[in-house]
Amino acid sequence: MTTQPFDPRRSRWIPGVFIALMLLVVVVNGTMAWLALRSFTGVTTPRAYDRGRTYNDVLAEAARQDALGWRAEVSLADATLRLHVTDAAGNPVAGSVEGLLQRPLTAQSYPLEFRPVAPGRWQANAMPGLPGQWEARLTLFGREGPFDIRARLLLP
């Protein structure tokens, strides 16, 4: 059995490969951090700490709205947003409606002006100019208090 003497020149490439791989990791991490910072929409909850401390109030309001048993139907056709709200018995709910269309990621908003068309039915012109997904954020002010309505819509 013959042993070859140690030749330091044979393993000179190892530190170079190690350095190249570490540089690759730094470049990939830097690119991902740059993309994350560049694409951040800035959509946050205002006063998040205070809202977190009063989250039981949010849960109580949701329980109050669930107990009403109201059902809301939101539809969009021919640049008109239609809203139909009924109570637990299927009767129309009276009140006034305020709201807006908002892009889920960019927080662009388009205000809506609702007009009643029948008991429990309202409509508003809705052509914000940008196609894609929008969220209708509506509030019905009825005799039993405000009722929040959220619906995702797709604008052509």
Side-chain angles (χ1 to χ4, degrees), residues 19 35-36 43 104 154:
I19 290 170
L35 288 171
V43 179
L154 188 62

Side-chain angles (χ1 to χ4, degrees), residues 50-100:
D50 294 332
R51 186 166 167 89
R53 291 188 66 208
T54 61
Y55 192 64
N56 286 337
D57 297 339
V58 173
L59 294 176
E61 177 62 18
R64 182 195 69 81
Q65 289 190 181
D66 286 344
L68 289 173
W70 291 0
R71 299 286 175 251
E73 296 175 19
V74 180
S75 63
L76 178 67
D78 301 324
T80 302
L81 184 74
R82 292 177 178 81
L83 173 64
H84 180 217
V85 182
T86 56
D87 62 12
N91 300 318
V93 175
S96 64
V97 179
E98 293 179 1
L100 55 88

